[in-house]
Amino acid sequence: MSGRQRALAFAAPPPREEFAPGAWLLRGFVGAREADVLAAVTAVVEQAPLRTMTTPGGKRMSVTTTSCGDCGWVSDRRGYRYEANDPATGLPWPAIPEALDALARDAAAAVGQPAFAPDACLVNRYAVGAKMALHQDRDEADFAQPIVSVSLGLPATFQFGGAARKGPTVRVPLVHGDVVVFGGPSRLCFHGVLPVKDGAHPVLGPYRVNLTFRRAR
Ligand code: MD3
Ligand code: FE
């Protein structure tokens, strides 16, 4: 065995699993970037506070939400949409911090999507018991662009279905540091998050935080 081969044998490639066509799970992809990623999320939340959104049907979502990027995802009685300014402050959303932008681009590139350039990053914070019902993400302009999801804090069970609300779903456990890239046929699949179970993460405490990077416009 050459030195190079020995090095490859010890440096396992980052685990990649395609759990549905076009849906790639990158376990632990955050890795050594953890501290920079958490600092970036803290900075975003300081500038654009987490808030409870209301669905067009008038229900309060159980997650609290904010955004960074050229536009941010907003929901109220008037509908779901992306807006350039944070309605809570009237200010432009904070820019996507470099550490987060690099993480999302590197994850997309790792599964063969090197052109991904996010312009919106949605931050969802789940307290214990918070959940997200099965839904599709259809508010973006170009469904050929993937979505990159980063899980932090408490673990959760992600539910992933097909093109119709009914039908079988697979359950994928997601833990701190996992990244999922949803492209190709998975992009318009129904998905959701089961209620987050009680627990305490060493850094984030009793919360799960999910970042979703999108090309909205
Ligand atoms: C599959 N968030 O914000 S991330 C959402 O964990 C959302 O907070 C969940 O669904 C969360 O819209 C799930 C995984 C995810 C995000 C967007 C997708 C999966 C997706 C869009 C298309 C297909
Ligand atoms: Fe979604």
Side-chain angles (χ1 to χ4, degrees):
M1 217 192 238
S2 71
R4 170 79 180 147
Q5 283 172 318
R6 196 154 46 240
L8 286 170
F10 281 96
R16 290 194 332 182
E17 184 202 347
E18 193 177 22
F19 63 85
W24 289 93
L25 171 56
L26 304 170
R27 286 262 180 233
F29 192 83
V30 173
R33 311 177 198 224
E34 174 183 1
D36 289 348
V37 166
L38 291 172
V41 173
T42 300
V44 167
V45 169
E46 279 171 7
Q47 294 171 75
L50 290 160
R51 81 292 308 264
T52 303
M53 298 278 190
T54 302
T55 67
K59 290 190 179 142
R60 284 164 61 88
M61 295 180 71
S62 63
V63 296
T64 57
T65 301
T66 189
S67 286
C68 54
D70 294 338
C71 53
W73 185 85
V74 171
S75 176
D76 58 22
R77 294 306 294 245
R78 285 154 47 215
Y80 305 121
R81 62 201 176 274
Y82 286 91
E83 288 203 348
N85 291 70
D86 176 352
T89 62
L91 299 170
W93 298 101
I96 300 178
E98 170 59 26
L100 299 186
D101 183 67
L103 174 67
R105 288 173 188 259
D106 290 350
V111 299
Q113 304 240 39
F116 181 53
D119 61 2
C121 170
L122 172 60
V123 181
N124 287 137
R125 188 177 74 166
Y126 296 71
V128 173
K131 61 185 175 6
M132 195 169 288
L134 277 181
H135 67 278
Q136 292 171 296
D137 288 25
R138 317 190 47 117
D139 305 319
E140 301 76 27
D142 179 6
F143 300 138
Q145 292 283 330
I147 288 184
V148 174
S149 157
V150 177
S151 289
L152 300 168
L154 288 180
T157 301
F158 178 68
Q159 254 189 316
F160 194 74
R165 187 181 298 278
K166 292 187 172 181
T169 58
V170 293
R171 291 179 172 195
V172 182
L174 294 177
V175 304
H176 181 78
D178 289 347
V179 175
V180 189
V181 183
F182 297 93
S186 76
R187 176 63 183 77
L188 286 172
C189 286
F190 278 86
H191 59 278
V193 178
L194 297 183
V196 169
K197 293 194 177 130
D198 195 8
H201 182 268
V203 181
L204 289 174
Y207 296 104
R208 169 175 191 260
V209 173
N210 181 266
L211 313 176
T212 55
F213 297 86
R214 297 109 185 272
R215 183 78 197 183
R217 292 179 168 162

